[in-house]
Amino acid sequence: MSAYPNATTTATATTDAESADPCCAAPLPVLGRDVTVPLVTGGEVTYAALDYAASAPALQRVWDDVAAYAPYYGSVHRGAGYLSQLSTDLFENSRLTVAEFLDCRDGDQVVFTRSTTDSLNLLAAAIPADCQVFVFETEHHASLLPWQDARVTYLNAPRTHAQAVATLERALAERDPYGPALVCVTGASNVTGELWPVKELAAAAHAHGARIVLDAAQLAPHHPVSVRELDVDWVAFSGHKLYAPFGSGVLAGRADWLQDADPYLAGGGASKKVARRADGGVDVEWHTTAARHEAGSPNVIGVYSIASACKALTEAGFDQLVARENHLIATVREGLAEVPEVKVLSLFGDHAPRVGVISFVVEGWNSSHFAAALSAEYGIGVRDGLFCAHPLVRTLLGSDPQSQGECGAPEAAPGEKSLNAIRVSFGAGTPDEHVERFVRAVKELVRDGARWKYRTEDGRCVPDRG
């Protein structure tokens, strides 16, 4: 039953044939699937959104659920009125939905934040003062950078799963055995899409008395994430990558460090009791629940959208979603393999399991120029650059710059003007036609070159309309 009157929930139907063959199942309905964009060469084309790793489009189910709730929007934890009570119930039920989606343990807390970056900065602010942190150089900046006030050990990029585990075990064996320690690791790379051996890394961490936090920003939209099965201490992810782009994120896991830390933000909602002292100051009793780190009026729309997305993905069935995505991955990888000038970036090799995130470079092209041509001439949206994972991309590319082409890399450092890559990413809402068009476009651009002139403007490669 819905938490508010007149609400509707749009389920995604599949035919018997689709159910029988997951690879042929229809993509989940998303907003923007019928948007057309102009081409610089003339005419319009349906936009192929292939930048899911940055922000995935909103699921139609999420949009419908939010629209149905919107007239009943009210303050959370603040009012006695009907809409306030209804919104509070919706907010707290969303917390339960996320805990179920992540298969959290009894006693785990689900804290709502703004994003994965916010979640990991919250945890960084909550770790004990003498905590040692271990993080691979391969991480996204959201999980690479928050720990700089702690004692951080940055680990070199591994080239196999076994090497990743061995590298971590070696580093943990050499640490101070009496202080707290934390390992931070991604579940799926935002650059290569490759899955990491999270369960094995968690076992290694715990064997050496350390805890582990999983950055699931790129994993949760593509694969089920079980806190219990992976045996991680915390997991963080963002709504905007989970088809819920309304500015919310999640940090879920063990409560003790969170309860012992000062509130992430001081203010209403985090405070349980505030009283003036005789000396003119104030005494504060802070909440020990998740509210301790959720000061201010919470983003109930964002939180509810995450819960809606969690339900939609669960109901669609991850087995079917993964099978269909693997079909799309094979289409892209097989197509790129037919172009000798294309080099796909990888840590673990061609046969490593991965999600729908693939980065590559093209011989004779600067990646910014190539990405601009895909957009302007084919209506295909990809990403170019270093993907907020600069150490990893530099490791994968080495020090040799690409050909300059007509446009340079945006905001590159001196001497590295053309050091960047192209990333194509997709997911549950991607039609087959989009990835097929992408493969055709890559082949045509490499074979025939761009049909338009391009120039650098404000650090970006754009069509020259002069």
Side-chain angles (χ1 to χ4, degrees), residues 16-383:
D16 290 341
E18 289 169 349
S19 299
D21 185 357
C23 294
C24 298
L28 299 186
V30 295
L31 295 186
R33 57 191 179 274
D34 298 322
V35 167
T36 59
V37 295
L39 300 180
V40 71
T41 51
E44 293 187 341
V45 67
T46 302
Y47 184 63
L50 297 179
D51 193 16
Y52 275 47
S55 286
L59 283 173
Q60 186 68 54
R61 155 74 174 270
V62 170
W63 187 262
D64 291 343
D65 283 351
V66 167
Y69 161 68
Y72 304 93
Y73 172 80
S75 62
V76 176
H77 302 146
R78 298 295 190 273
Y82 178 79
L83 296 191
S84 178
Q85 293 182 42
L86 185 148
S87 295
T88 298
D89 286 346
L90 191 75
F91 185 83
E92 294 302 333
N93 284 331
S94 295
R95 200 187 305 277
L96 297 176
T97 296
V98 172
E100 183 178 358
F101 179 75
L102 295 173
D103 190 24
C104 287
R105 301 157 296 228
D106 294 342
D108 281 345
Q109 286 188 349
V110 173
V111 180
F112 289 117
T113 66
R114 293 174 294 181
S115 60
T116 306
T117 302
D118 197 36
S119 296
L120 293 171
N121 275 271
L122 188 165
L123 184 60
I127 63 177
D130 57 343
C131 187
Q132 298 178 72
V133 178
F134 298 84
V135 56
F136 286 93
E137 67 170 352
T138 47
E139 294 293 307
H140 185 281
H141 294 171
S143 47
L144 185 74
L145 301 181
W147 322 103
Q148 294 185 89
D149 290 337
R151 290 185 290 162
V152 188
T153 298
Y154 294 106
L155 307 175
N156 292 334
R159 290 298 183 168
T160 65
H161 282 187
Q163 188 179 56
V165 176
T167 297
L168 178 61
E169 288 182 328
R170 193 160 50 245
L172 289 172
E174 296 171 355
R175 79 176 184 92
D176 179 354
Y178 300 106
L182 177 69
V183 176
C184 180
V185 67
T186 189
S189 171
N190 77 302
V191 176
T192 67
E194 292 165 316
L195 300 180
W196 278 63
V198 177
K199 189 171 184 178
E200 291 81 359
L201 291 168
H206 293 153
H208 290 274
R211 298 187 182 189
I212 186 168
V213 56
L214 168 64
D215 175 354
Q218 299 296 341
L219 182 63
H222 303 274
H223 285 260
V225 176
S226 170
V227 170
R228 195 186 309 267
E229 181 179 341
L230 294 173
D231 198 22
V232 294
D233 298 279
W234 293 277
V235 61
F237 70 87
S238 296
H240 71 98
K241 299 186 193 299
L242 196 79
Y243 311 99
F246 293 96
S248 280
V250 169
L251 176 67
R254 295 179 62 159
D256 53 352
W257 283 6
L258 300 178
Q259 290 174 345
D260 292 341
D262 290 337
Y264 187 46
L265 297 173
S271 55
K272 188 175 183 180
K273 183 189 298 184
V274 180
R276 288 293 301 273
R277 296 196 305 262
D279 64 4
V282 294
D283 286 322
V284 184
E285 181 183 350
W286 302 105
H287 281 293
T288 58
T289 62
R292 184 183 189 87
H293 298 290
E294 294 177 344
S297 295
N299 179 3
V300 60
I301 293 287
V303 164
Y304 180 48
S305 70
I306 288 179
S308 173
C310 289
K311 289 181 179 179
L313 294 174
T314 300
E315 291 168 9
F318 269 108
D319 286 347
Q320 182 161 296
L321 295 175
V322 169
R324 185 175 186 280
E325 185 171 311
N326 284 339
H327 167 68
L328 297 179
I329 292 169
T331 299
V332 173
R333 288 181 58 81
E334 290 168 8
L336 294 181
E338 295 173 358
V339 185
E341 294 84 354
V342 169
K343 175 188 176 183
V344 174
L345 306 184
S346 174
L347 273 174
F348 302 140
D350 289 342
H351 300 295
R354 65 194 71 231
V355 299
V357 179
I358 299 168
S359 295
F360 63 98
V361 293
V362 183
E363 182 182 346
W365 285 80
N366 178 271
S367 294
S368 294
H369 185 196
F370 200 88
L374 285 173
S375 174
E377 300 178 27
Y378 296 91
I380 298 170
V382 297
R383 204 167 192 85

Side-chain angles (χ1 to χ4, degrees), residues 2 4-8 68 72:
S2 300
Y4 46 89
N6 303 321
T8 59
Y72 304 93

